[in-house]
Amino acid sequence: RFCATGNMPGWRNLTAEEIAAQIQFVLEQNDNTDPLDSKEFKINYTRMGEPFLNLEAVKQVIQQISSIFPNTHHYVSTIGLKDADYSWIGGNTTLQISLHAMSEERRNWLIPYGRKASIADLGKIRTRSNNKTTINLTLVEDSDFDMAVLKEHFDPAHFFIKLSPINKNAVS
């Protein structure tokens, strides 16, 4: 099941300052790396909580980091919250949607969070990003993949499909 973080106790959302401090920590640990000398400096907002449940802090960090490192590309990963506002995503910010299965029933089992948008609604999302919206598929079973569903809902003009191997842990 996805994601292991959802089974951990939750205390509170990180502040924008705490998120920025994590980025600064990584940079300090890699002092031979200068993001300004990079073709593209990538930051992924993923794997430790749903960014759209802490959206204002995430948006603040994106704005702050982009002002310091204008070549930064931000990747915001989401399970696709129902009724979330995706209209702010543009330029060097790219949306990534965790899909992982082609049926609602299987997706609900894999991602046990009640306020997810339907697969059909996810396919209607449009952003103003320089990149296409990424659909993340970590296929647990071969039956989780259905090309007909992908073709029906995710127009290749707007979506990029990324297949990833499963990251085994105590939950998945």
Side-chain angles (χ1 to χ4, degrees):
R1 294 179 103 178
F2 298 94
C3 122
T5 306
N7 293 311
M8 297 169 68
W11 290 280
R12 64 176 178 81
N13 285 330
L14 294 177
T15 65
E17 293 76 20
E18 289 168 324
I19 298 169
Q22 291 179 354
I23 297 165
Q24 186 61 40
F25 174 80
V26 171
L27 291 173
E28 288 169 359
Q29 298 306 306
N30 295 280
D31 59 359
N32 61 335
T33 302
D34 182 356
L36 293 173
D37 289 337
S38 301
K39 179 179 176 184
E40 183 177 65
F41 177 48
K42 297 180 182 183
I43 299 176
N44 294 313
Y45 301 84
T46 184
R47 300 197 181 196
M48 283 304 291
E50 169 60 53
F52 280 83
L53 293 176
N54 192 17
L55 188 55
E56 292 311 310
V58 170
K59 287 164 91 173
Q60 285 177 8
V61 171
I62 289 172
Q63 183 177 20
Q64 177 186 356
I65 297 298
S66 293
S67 69
I68 300 168
F69 305 114
N71 60 329
T72 304
H73 200 106
H74 304 271
Y75 294 87
V76 182
S77 185
T78 179
I79 59 172
L81 296 184
K82 187 176 185 163
D83 301 320
D85 176 15
Y86 301 102
S87 66
W88 63 274
I89 296 174
N92 279 352
T93 300
T94 297
L95 182 65
Q96 295 187 338
I97 300 171
S98 298
L99 191 62
H100 306 312
M102 304 293 117
S103 79
E104 298 292 352
E105 180 181 358
R106 177 71 169 158
R107 186 166 185 261
N108 286 334
W109 184 84
L110 287 171
I111 308 170
Y113 183 80
R115 292 185 31 232
K116 290 186 305 301
S118 69
I119 293 170
D121 285 343
L122 293 173
K124 295 174 187 171
I125 294 172
R126 299 294 182 265
T127 70
R128 296 172 289 103
S129 176
N130 295 339
N131 292 342
K132 296 176 183 182
T133 295
T134 301
I135 299 297
N136 289 323
L137 292 169
T138 302
L139 303 176
V140 178
E141 305 288 338
D142 289 346
S143 61
D144 292 333
F145 186 79
D146 186 334
M147 184 58 82
V149 173
L150 283 175
K151 286 181 177 181
E152 177 183 355
H153 297 294
F154 301 102
D155 180 347
H158 301 283
F159 293 94
F160 171 80
I161 308 301
K162 182 176 99 178
L163 298 173
S164 300
I166 192 161
N167 185 9
K168 296 277 186 187
N169 60 56
V171 176
S172 60

